[in-house]
Amino acid sequence: MAALRHSLGAVEAEGSASSQGSSAVEMVLPSDPAAPAPLCPHGPTLLFVKVSQGKEETRRFYACSACRDRKDCNFFQWEDEKLSGARLAAREAHNRRCQPPLSRMQCVERYLTFIELPLSQRKFCQRCQQLLLPDDWGKHREHPVVGDVSVAQLKRPSQLLSPLENKKTNAQYLFADRSCQFLIDLLSTLGFRRVLCVGTPRLHELIRLKASDDNKSNIKSLLLDIDFRYSQFYMEDSFCHYNMFNHHFFDGEAALEVCRTFLQEDQGEGVIMVTDPPFGGLVEPLAITFKKLIAMWKKGQSQDNNHKELPIFWIFPYFFESRICQFFPSFRMLDYQVDYDNHALYKHGKTGRKQSPVRIFTNVSPDKIILPVEEGYRFCPLCQRYVSRENQHCEHCDSCTSKDGRKWNHCFLCKKCVKPSWIHCSICNHCALPDHSCKGPKDGCFICGELDHKRSTCPNISTSKKVNKAVRKQKQRKSNKTKMETTKGQSMNHTSVTRKKKRSERAHQYLCS
């Protein structure tokens, strides 16, 4: 069993252990990978455990892979819990009710019928987020409806659909056209002919739009996304309803085969994966999923190319760099700032800490990637890569060290560059914010508190498990004893009250006689 740490609710602190007494939720790789995980409406669930620093893990449980808030998906099951046949049947019925109302084939048939309608009959319900055929009009008479849906609008469904903005479930922040155009030009310059778009609907549609408008563009695209609404706008070979947190294809083997064929075409040559996961999601399951997609691509490779890697652009905030590189050591972070149309903060053109923190992590060599000079990026001949204007080369670190677009300062005591707002603390013996707490979070082991290893590799983990198991049993015995005493006491109290009531009734009868 391998354990992977993620402190829920502390996105920017991803990868840091919590302070003494604090807790975190870890995703756990099951001891028996062959045993299937229970299913929720979003596919196979993930195994988690809650841990506290200085204490051993508690009881393990299954929860939804895609939703961090149980209000969005209330699935919960203890790992060792045995469910009755009735509960399993009820769960299966619930999962079926939560699936999209139309099958993939029905969506395709409706789309083919829709595009043959005259313009005046092409309608879209904004409340139900659904393309309407004439037979549907009566059901949506009281709903806000967009009429005269053009072919141009059908080609840009991300502008027709309302973005999903639940940050804990499926936050859907869409690339600004500036970032999309940069990515398309870059992919074309690098010579890629196929793009696997994992959670990047706007990039997918603009690639297809350019291919239909420009005969010279030969780039193809396949979108994998958890938003089933896109099923209305694409044929089976262009879109797969997919959960990137558990590598689940909702339409089964047929959709899996579409993805496999796309990745393995031309023996896997000329393809790249571009992914833009929700920023509140766990890094660990994403990395596991991406490795499964890489393995799928590798099966189409010839033996001569077995050493090659699937090119990837993983778009994520810069403060996840250490976590991403932990799983993919060959990845490097680019300075390019990705911005979004419908996000209040992640906008291009802002300066200082107000600028977008979103970057591109890639295994494509940075010296091959040209960033737009007109936006302030420049080529550093020493680093052999493009960097932002404020990112100055440090002669002591021998690198352009800034991560957030500001000029960083070199600390000779820490022997590295740090953020300009940080100062060196003589108590902590490292740089931090001026108003930081010296007793604040420190990296280290949740079990023994040592700083040279993490909980998953702690030499005391086995002993701690045994001790903690004994403590849990003792607590359980005390709890059972308390319940029995409480029940007994309640029973005695009830008998006493009954006796008093009868005496009172007899006295009342005597006085009234």
Side-chain angles (χ1 to χ4, degrees), residues 305-438:
N305 295 333
N306 204 33
H307 64 283
K308 288 187 176 181
E309 289 185 319
L310 171 67
I312 295 175
F313 284 170
W314 181 342
I315 297 164
F316 229 44
Y318 71 82
F319 37 78
F320 284 93
E321 181 182 20
S322 62
R323 295 305 303 249
I324 291 175
C325 292
Q326 175 186 344
F327 294 99
F328 297 99
S330 63
F331 278 28
R332 296 293 178 267
M333 187 178 79
L334 306 180
D335 267 19
Y336 183 81
Q337 296 177 18
V338 180
D339 61 330
Y340 297 80
D341 268 349
N342 58 323
H343 197 292
L345 299 178
Y346 298 172
K347 298 286 188 181
H348 174 63
K350 295 186 177 182
T351 58
R353 298 205 64 176
K354 294 182 179 180
Q355 59 197 322
S356 172
V358 186
R359 303 289 186 269
I360 300 173
F361 296 87
T362 182
N363 52 1
V364 177
S365 181
D367 62 357
K368 296 180 179 178
I369 299 174
I370 301 174
L371 303 186
V373 177
E374 63 275 12
E375 293 184 11
Y377 298 100
R378 60 180 182 80
F379 186 76
C380 175
L382 298 174
C383 292
Q384 285 293 295
R385 68 183 181 98
Y386 276 82
V387 296
S388 63
R389 182 189 295 112
E390 296 81 4
N391 192 358
Q392 300 298 315
H393 193 90
C394 174
E395 61 180 12
H396 306 288
C397 298
D398 193 25
S399 174
C400 292
T401 52
S402 173
K403 306 292 184 184
D404 60 8
R406 296 178 294 170
K407 184 182 182 299
W408 285 22
N409 302 321
H410 188 83
C411 174
F412 290 95
L413 296 174
C414 291
K415 297 181 180 179
K416 64 178 182 179
C417 286
V418 298
K419 295 179 180 180
S421 55
W422 287 14
I423 61 171
H424 194 86
C425 175
S426 57
I427 300 174
C428 300
N429 198 30
H430 65 74
C431 288
L433 289 169
D435 58 350
H436 77 286
S437 171
C438 294

Side-chain angles (χ1 to χ4, degrees), residues 244-277:
M244 71 173 79
F245 289 98
N246 58 8
H247 188 55
H248 177 65
F249 289 87
F250 290 88
D251 296 308
E253 188 63 33
L256 176 63
E257 186 57 35
V258 168
C259 180
R260 183 186 293 116
T261 301
F262 187 85
L263 284 172
Q264 295 180 2
E265 184 180 331
D266 295 334
Q267 293 188 329
E269 289 294 322
V271 66
I272 184 173
M273 184 179 86
V274 181
T275 182
D276 181 36

Side-chain angles (χ1 to χ4, degrees), residues 74 97 143 166 237 279 298 420:
N74 63 1
R97 288 195 300 271
H143 298 180
N166 187 332
D237 61 349
F279 301 151
K298 269 190 174 296

Side-chain angles (χ1 to χ4, degrees), residues 2-8 13-18 23-28 49 51-53 282-285 323 326-327 442-447 453-457:
L4 306 168
R5 174 168 301 155
H6 177 78
S7 300
L8 296 180
E14 171 77 350
S16 295
S18 300
S23 62
V25 173
E26 292 183 351
M27 184 189 125
V28 181
V49 65
V51 295
S52 298
Q53 189 158 354
L282 295 161
V283 171
E284 296 85 351
R323 295 305 303 249
Q326 175 186 344
F327 294 99
K442 298 179 183 296
D443 289 332
C445 175
F446 263 37
I447 295 176
H453 62 271
K454 299 295 183 182
R455 173 193 167 279
S456 57
T457 56

